[in-house]
Amino acid sequence: MERTMKCYFRAPAWSYFLIPLTLLITVSSFGDENECSHLASSRGPTEYQELGDYHFPRITSISELLSTVVQKYSGQPFAGLDFIKAISQVYSSIHADTTLTAIEKGEKMGQFGLELNPAFEAEIARFPSEPTGTPASLKAWAKRKVALDQVKRMKFVVAMSVEDFENFSVSEFDRVSKENFVMTRGTVQEQQTHIPLDEYSNYIKSYLTGIFGGAEEEKALYRGINQGSLGILSIPDIRDITSYNLWPMYLVSHDIRHVHYGLSHPLALAVMMRATRSKIALRYTMLGGLYEGVDRVQYMQEQTINRFFAHELGASGIFPGINRGMDLEEAMITLAYAPKSVLDKICETVQYGNTFESYAATLANWKPKMVDGTTLQGQAMTHAGRDIRDTHEDLEDDVRHMVQNYTARIHESEALKAQLAENPSMSLNDDQKMLLWMMNFQLNPASPEIVVDGLPYKDDGRAHYSGNVPEDPLGLGDH
């Protein structure tokens, strides 16, 4: 294995930009800071209420904590255990506060989320952290994952609300010429493949068909990806691309892993894509580094932030009330709403954390862009990132629809796995196998299945880092 050596030579998929910095510039925000994004002004936390259960269990301590924290941040009393109602009350209060800038509103929303950690942890702690091997223990342990998924949904709503407040609105986008945007210089847009959110499943099906066998015409989409000729990109250029919810495919064998992980972990993908338009540049650079947890070949700062969330978070004291590690999905969601002071503390704590601050410094004057003479006008793209979506869907609706569509596929996959658990000898047809391969990311892409406690097709997409492979556990939730 040459993993340690490789991590110094391979550019990460989200950051083809290792450029030396001579100045550290304070990250700032731009435009009318009291102007919130499309979602902040119209929908707020309720836009994701259909994803699943958002009710805390009937535990007095949780009810009292929720009531206290909601009243603290909204100024109004609250009773009950409905998280959507609780966060909506806080969100509405913060949104209406004209004394706060948009970034300050996001900061306050993030602080609210942090103070709910004891409630989140109490929900998860009702179930054992690992099984003893008995059928009853395995059943109880499986319920922990259900609880963890519910906590992820709750944290996700907090994260998307924070990013609503702190993100650039379309009215704040810079207008630039075609020659000043990475995707449209000359004829380069026709030479690249930038995968839009609604095309992830098509590319992953083609990718997996090539690995596991199938019709040649189905393999062609992935094999025909044009890695392009842009070479090493600056961090502003790569952010220009991802700010359109596009994933660049310039190192195909690696970049496709992000697409596969995002397809099967839409909540993580959503916070990553929305963070590309955040006025807090450090949030974007840190999430980008953490997103490299989809692979074991990482730069040192990527390795250390993944190791932090997987193994060191509980002992760090940075997130009070949390004494466990997180899988990659929960880690990304949690980082997406952490207040700036917490982001700073993580950078101070993890080795090479100052690299994320250096990257953020290069983005001090960055804004998302509209490009004159092109379809890049702040709306969702399609056809490998070359054309505007027929519906002229905005970028935030693009993310929302992705979450809804891919979550529905996850439910199909989980239902099929439940059938397998009841009947391990069940024979799967080719379409069923493909669904499980598509919606259950594997750290080893050539592996058709991961078997845990006798059940195949498990998702092993944890927060990984380049270390001792046998010691890295499989991804069934938290540690």
Coordinates of all heavy atoms in Angstrom, one line a residue, residues 278-307:
S278 N -21.9 30.2 0.6 CA -21.8 30.8 1.9 C -20.9 32.0 2.0 O -19.8 32.0 1.4 CB -21.4 29.8 3.0 OG -21.2 30.4 4.2
K279 N -21.3 33.0 2.7 CA -20.4 34.2 3.0 C -19.3 33.8 4.0 O -18.4 34.6 4.2 CB -21.2 35.4 3.4 CG -22.2 35.9 2.4 CD -23.0 37.0 2.9 CE -24.0 37.5 1.8 NZ -24.9 38.6 2.3
I280 N -19.4 32.7 4.7 CA -18.4 32.2 5.6 C -17.5 31.3 4.8 O -17.7 30.1 4.7 CB -19.0 31.5 6.8 CG1 -20.0 32.4 7.5 CG2 -17.9 31.1 7.8 CD1 -19.4 33.7 8.1
A281 N -16.5 31.8 4.2 CA -15.6 31.0 3.3 C -15.0 29.8 4.0 O -14.7 28.8 3.4 CB -14.5 31.9 2.7
L282 N -14.7 30.0 5.3 CA -14.1 28.9 6.1 C -15.0 27.7 6.1 O -14.5 26.6 6.1 CB -13.7 29.4 7.5 CG -12.9 28.4 8.3 CD1 -11.6 28.0 7.7 CD2 -12.7 29.0 9.7
R283 N -16.3 27.9 6.2 CA -17.2 26.8 6.2 C -17.1 26.0 4.9 O -17.1 24.7 4.9 CB -18.7 27.3 6.3 CG -19.6 26.1 6.6 CD -21.1 26.6 6.8 NE -21.3 27.7 7.7 CZ -21.2 27.6 9.0 NH1 -20.9 26.4 9.6 NH2 -21.5 28.6 9.8
Y284 N -17.0 26.7 3.8 CA -16.8 26.0 2.5 C -15.5 25.2 2.4 O -15.5 24.0 2.0 CB -16.9 27.0 1.4 CG -16.4 26.5 0.0 CD1 -17.1 25.6 -0.7 CD2 -15.2 26.9 -0.5 CE1 -16.7 25.1 -1.9 CE2 -14.7 26.4 -1.7 CZ -15.5 25.5 -2.4 OH -15.0 25.0 -3.6
T285 N -14.4 25.8 2.8 CA -13.1 25.1 2.7 C -13.0 23.9 3.7 O -12.5 22.9 3.3 CB -12.0 26.1 3.0 OG1 -12.0 26.6 4.3 CG2 -12.0 27.2 2.0
M286 N -13.6 24.1 4.9 CA -13.5 22.9 5.8 C -14.5 21.8 5.4 O -14.1 20.6 5.5 CB -13.9 23.4 7.2 CG -12.9 24.4 7.8 SD -13.3 25.0 9.5 CE -13.1 23.5 10.4
L287 N -15.6 22.1 4.9 CA -16.5 21.1 4.4 C -15.9 20.4 3.2 O -16.0 19.2 3.1 CB -17.9 21.7 4.0 CG -18.9 21.7 5.1 CD1 -20.2 22.5 4.6 CD2 -19.3 20.4 5.6
G288 N -15.2 21.1 2.4 CA -14.5 20.5 1.2 C -13.5 19.5 1.7 O -13.3 18.4 1.1
G289 N -12.7 19.9 2.7 CA -11.7 19.0 3.2 C -12.3 17.7 3.9 O -11.9 16.6 3.7
L290 N -13.4 18.0 4.6 CA -14.1 16.8 5.2 C -14.7 15.9 4.2 O -14.7 14.7 4.4 CB -15.2 17.4 6.2 CG -15.8 16.4 7.1 CD1 -14.8 15.6 8.0 CD2 -16.8 17.1 8.0
Y291 N -15.2 16.5 3.1 CA -15.8 15.7 2.1 C -14.8 14.7 1.4 O -15.2 13.7 0.8 CB -16.4 16.6 1.0 CG -17.5 16.0 0.1 CD1 -18.2 14.9 0.5 CD2 -17.9 16.6 -1.0 CE1 -19.2 14.4 -0.3 CE2 -18.9 16.1 -1.8 CZ -19.6 15.0 -1.4 OH -20.6 14.5 -2.2
E292 N -13.5 14.9 1.6 CA -12.5 14.0 1.1 C -12.5 12.7 1.9 O -11.8 11.7 1.6 CB -11.1 14.6 1.1 CG -11.0 15.7 0.1 CD -11.2 15.2 -1.3 OE1 -10.6 14.1 -1.7 OE2 -11.9 15.8 -2.1
G293 N -13.4 12.6 3.0 CA -13.5 11.3 3.7 C -14.1 10.2 2.9 O -14.2 9.1 3.3
V294 N -14.5 10.5 1.6 CA -15.0 9.4 0.7 C -13.9 8.6 0.2 O -14.1 7.6 -0.4 CB -15.8 10.0 -0.4 CG1 -17.0 10.9 0.0 CG2 -14.9 10.8 -1.4
D295 N -12.7 9.0 0.5 CA -11.5 8.2 -0.1 C -10.4 8.2 1.0 O -10.4 9.0 1.9 CB -11.0 9.0 -1.3 CG -10.1 8.1 -2.2 OD1 -9.8 7.0 -1.7 OD2 -9.7 8.5 -3.3
R296 N -9.6 7.2 0.9 CA -8.5 7.0 1.9 C -7.2 7.8 1.4 O -6.3 7.9 2.2 CB -8.1 5.6 2.1 CG -9.2 4.8 2.7 CD -8.7 3.4 3.1 NE -9.7 2.5 3.6 CZ -10.2 2.6 4.8 NH1 -9.8 3.4 5.7 NH2 -11.2 1.7 5.2
V297 N -7.2 8.3 0.2 CA -6.0 9.1 -0.3 C -6.3 10.6 -0.1 O -7.1 11.1 -0.8 CB -5.8 8.7 -1.7 CG1 -4.5 9.4 -2.2 CG2 -5.6 7.2 -1.9
Q298 N -5.7 11.2 0.9 CA -6.0 12.6 1.3 C -4.8 13.4 1.6 O -3.8 12.8 1.9 CB -6.9 12.5 2.5 CG -8.2 11.7 2.4 CD -8.8 11.3 3.7 OE1 -8.3 11.7 4.7 NE2 -9.8 10.5 3.6
Y299 N -5.0 14.7 1.4 CA -3.9 15.6 1.9 C -4.0 15.6 3.4 O -5.0 15.2 4.1 CB -4.2 17.0 1.4 CG -3.7 17.2 0.0 CD1 -4.6 17.5 -1.0 CD2 -2.3 17.3 -0.3 CE1 -4.1 17.7 -2.3 CE2 -1.9 17.5 -1.6 CZ -2.8 17.7 -2.6 OH -2.3 17.9 -3.9
M300 N -2.9 16.1 4.1 CA -2.8 15.9 5.5 C -3.9 16.7 6.3 O -4.4 16.2 7.3 CB -1.4 16.4 6.0 CG -0.3 15.6 5.4 SD -0.4 13.8 5.8 CE -0.4 13.8 7.6
Q301 N -4.3 17.9 5.8 CA -5.4 18.6 6.5 C -6.7 17.9 6.3 O -7.5 17.9 7.3 CB -5.4 20.1 6.0 CG -6.0 20.3 4.6 CD -5.0 20.1 3.5 OE1 -3.9 19.7 3.8 NE2 -5.4 20.4 2.3
E302 N -6.9 17.2 5.2 CA -8.1 16.5 5.0 C -8.1 15.2 5.9 O -9.1 14.9 6.5 CB -8.2 16.0 3.6 CG -8.3 17.2 2.6 CD -8.0 16.8 1.1 OE1 -7.6 15.7 0.9 OE2 -8.1 17.7 0.3
Q303 N -7.0 14.6 6.0 CA -6.8 13.4 6.9 C -7.1 13.8 8.3 O -7.8 13.1 9.1 CB -5.4 12.9 6.8 CG -5.2 11.6 7.6 CD -3.7 11.2 7.4 OE1 -3.0 11.2 8.4 NE2 -3.3 10.8 6.3
T304 N -6.6 14.9 8.8 CA -6.7 15.3 10.2 C -8.1 15.7 10.6 O -8.6 15.4 11.7 CB -5.7 16.4 10.6 OG1 -5.9 17.5 9.8 CG2 -4.3 15.9 10.5
I305 N -8.8 16.4 9.7 CA -10.2 16.8 10.0 C -11.1 15.6 10.0 O -12.1 15.5 10.8 CB -10.7 17.9 9.1 CG1 -11.9 18.6 9.8 CG2 -11.0 17.5 7.7 CD1 -12.4 19.8 9.1
N306 N -10.9 14.6 9.1 CA -11.7 13.4 9.1 C -11.4 12.6 10.4 O -12.3 12.0 11.0 CB -11.4 12.6 7.9 CG -12.3 13.0 6.7 OD1 -13.4 12.6 6.6 ND2 -11.7 13.8 5.8
R307 N -10.1 12.5 10.8 CA -9.8 11.8 12.0 C -10.4 12.4 13.2 O -10.9 11.8 14.1 CB -8.2 11.7 12.1 CG -7.8 10.8 13.3 CD -6.3 10.6 13.3 NE -5.5 11.8 13.4 CZ -4.5 12.0 12.6 NH1 -4.1 11.1 11.7 NH2 -3.8 13.1 12.7

